[in-house]
Amino acid sequence: MSSHKTASVFSLLIVSVMILTACGGQPVTQAPATQAPATQAPATQAPAKTVKIGFLAGVQDPFYTTMQRGAAQAAADLGVELITQIPQAWNVTDQTPMLDAMVARGDLSFLFLAPVDSQAMIAPLQKANDAGLPLLTVDTYIGDGDYANGPVKFPLSFIASDNYLGGQIACRALADSLNKTGKVYIQNVKVGISSTDAREKGCKDVLAAEYPKVTLVGVDYNDDDATKAQAQVEAMLQKNPDLGGIFGTNVFSAQGAGATVKNKGLSGKVKVVAFDATKDAINMLQDGTVDLVIAQKPGDMGFFAVEMAMAYMNGVTSIPKHIPTGYAVITRDNMADPNIVKFFYQ
Ligand code: T6T
């Protein structure tokens, strides 16, 4: 996070300049200097209220843990408090009551979150926004993700990877590793999640457009459960013993796919491309079970989210409606390079 440190110092400078200009020279987080005459007992100043920013993740996993760290870094540098809530499972019924509770507490000045369903979370977020809580989304979006011209415009920004491109990168690599011929399979999470839906579509489109001799034999949805993913891969391998490759679209999809391939002694024979640079995925890359890991930049997403929140709260009106954060593509050849290691999720 060293580059962040300098960036945050730079951003701290910008923000304090903004705060100073916005509040006519009075820093928000420090008590204003009093001009009371020396003789009078110093008036007791109520301590300045620390700004609280809420973060509501999609689920407990290394991706969101890393995002929280990026956010915490920016919060520490900007002198604000980060209030984090993480659902145990990836679904609307877990996330919505947490969202409502974060609104109800009434002391949050801003909220950023990863909506777990692009349609079902529109109404709960609209309610939060109507209650006066400004918000932006990280990693996933609601509506169609175009908050400038799309059907849903109230979120201030969308900070995430280009997931369609991510799916293309993954399946180009998978098809090339099979010499452009053979059967592939997608292990996915759940329909309705903007990120993994886009990865699946990116994969399908690139196979259809560029690899006529590669057949997609199926897509399964594991409800973000690695054990379920394992069983689904087991069944797919029974049906297709000549399966050539698997695209695991996120942490638990890749974890399940890799585990079954390894347990069946198929490491290196059945190619696996894993999304998300967890310790597990990196270990499987190391031992030859996984052939490519696509690292997102969740730390950057969290960091930018807090920065944009502070910018908004200080009157900045030109917050980009979309902030793409990019990827690091990790192979056995570059996985020891420090410039790559820094993208491993914590
Ligand atoms: O892949 C990430 C995230 O981008 C996706 O939206 C959901 O799954 C992860 O959190 C990993 O589990």
Side-chain angles (χ1 to χ4, degrees):
M1 279 263 199
S2 57
S3 58
H4 283 174
K5 201 82 194 131
T6 33
S8 56
V9 170
F10 183 63
S11 59
L12 184 61
L13 183 65
I14 293 177
V15 169
S16 27
V17 169
M18 277 191 298
I19 293 173
L20 284 170
T21 44
C23 317
Q26 297 302 323
V28 172
T29 51
Q30 279 127 12
T34 57
Q35 306 304 329
T39 52
Q40 209 178 341
T44 51
Q45 286 283 350
K49 207 162 61 53
T50 303
V51 170
K52 293 183 180 166
I53 295 175
F55 167 39
L56 178 53
V59 74
Q60 184 69 54
D61 74 21
F63 172 84
Y64 289 111
T65 304
T66 307
M67 187 183 290
Q68 189 185 6
R69 284 184 185 219
Q73 174 81 61
D77 294 329
L78 292 165
V80 298
E81 193 178 340
L82 184 69
I83 309 288
T84 299
Q85 288 285 316
I86 304 183
Q88 282 314 305
W90 184 286
N91 57 52
V92 173
T93 45
D94 276 46
Q95 193 178 50
T96 304
M98 276 186 166
L99 170 65
D100 295 344
M102 290 180 97
V103 175
R105 41 179 301 150
D107 61 349
L108 297 182
S109 304
F110 198 97
L111 175 73
F112 67 96
L113 76 156
V116 294
D117 186 282
S118 57
Q119 299 309 312
M121 289 305 291
I122 295 175
L125 266 68
Q126 182 74 67
K127 201 171 111 201
N129 195 249
D130 293 348
L133 187 56
L135 56 89
L136 64 82
T137 68
V138 284
D139 179 39
T140 54
Y141 58 64
I142 50 172
D144 66 358
D146 177 354
Y147 297 153
N149 307 304
V152 175
K153 297 189 183 70
F154 64 84
L156 290 158
S157 189
F158 170 48
I159 307 173
S161 312
D162 177 339
N163 289 292
Y164 180 81
L165 172 66
Q168 291 181 309
I169 294 170
C171 285
R172 268 200 195 99
L174 198 57
D176 290 343
S177 73
L178 303 178
N179 298 322
K180 305 181 191 320
T181 309
K183 292 179 176 179
V184 299
Y185 160 64
I186 299 176
Q187 248 296 317
N188 206 347
V189 187
K190 192 184 279 197
V191 174
I193 307 172
S194 66
S195 54
T196 47
D197 284 352
R199 291 167 203 168
E200 177 182 324
K201 187 167 179 353
C203 174
K204 284 176 171 172
D205 289 358
V206 95
L207 294 179
E210 300 173 17
Y211 299 92
K213 295 190 187 142
V214 172
T215 312
L216 179 64
V217 291
V219 181
D220 279 324
Y221 301 95
N222 55 53
D223 290 325
D224 216 30
D225 176 343
T227 313
K228 196 168 176 183
Q230 258 184 275
Q232 289 170 336
V233 174
E234 189 98 27
M236 180 52 72
L237 283 167
Q238 247 137 37
K239 258 193 303 186
N240 295 276
D242 56 347
L243 183 68
I246 306 172
F247 171 31
T249 65
N250 83 329
V251 167
F252 300 123
S253 307
Q255 194 175 313
T260 296
V261 165
K262 198 171 178 177
N263 296 348
K264 294 183 85 60
L266 295 169
S267 294
K269 296 191 190 71
V270 175
K271 305 296 183 188
V272 178
V273 170
F275 226 90
D276 292 311
T278 60
K279 285 196 180 61
D280 180 67
I282 297 298
N283 290 341
M284 290 198 288
L285 181 66
Q286 181 88 52
D287 71 21
T289 301
V290 161
D291 300 278
L292 188 89
V293 173
I294 298 176
Q296 303 185 73
K297 301 181 180 178
D300 292 11
M301 295 177 201
F303 192 88
F304 281 136
V306 172
E307 286 218 330
M308 292 308 118
M310 285 304 284
Y312 174 78
M313 285 188 278
N314 289 293
V316 171
T317 57
S318 53
I319 292 170
K321 277 287 184 179
H322 182 211
I323 301 177
T325 48
Y327 294 110
V329 176
I330 310 174
T331 65
R332 270 182 286 285
D333 299 338
N334 68 11
M335 67 183 299
D337 175 348
N339 288 321
I340 291 290
V341 171
K342 68 184 179 192
F343 293 112
F344 295 2
Y345 301 175
Q346 286 111 20

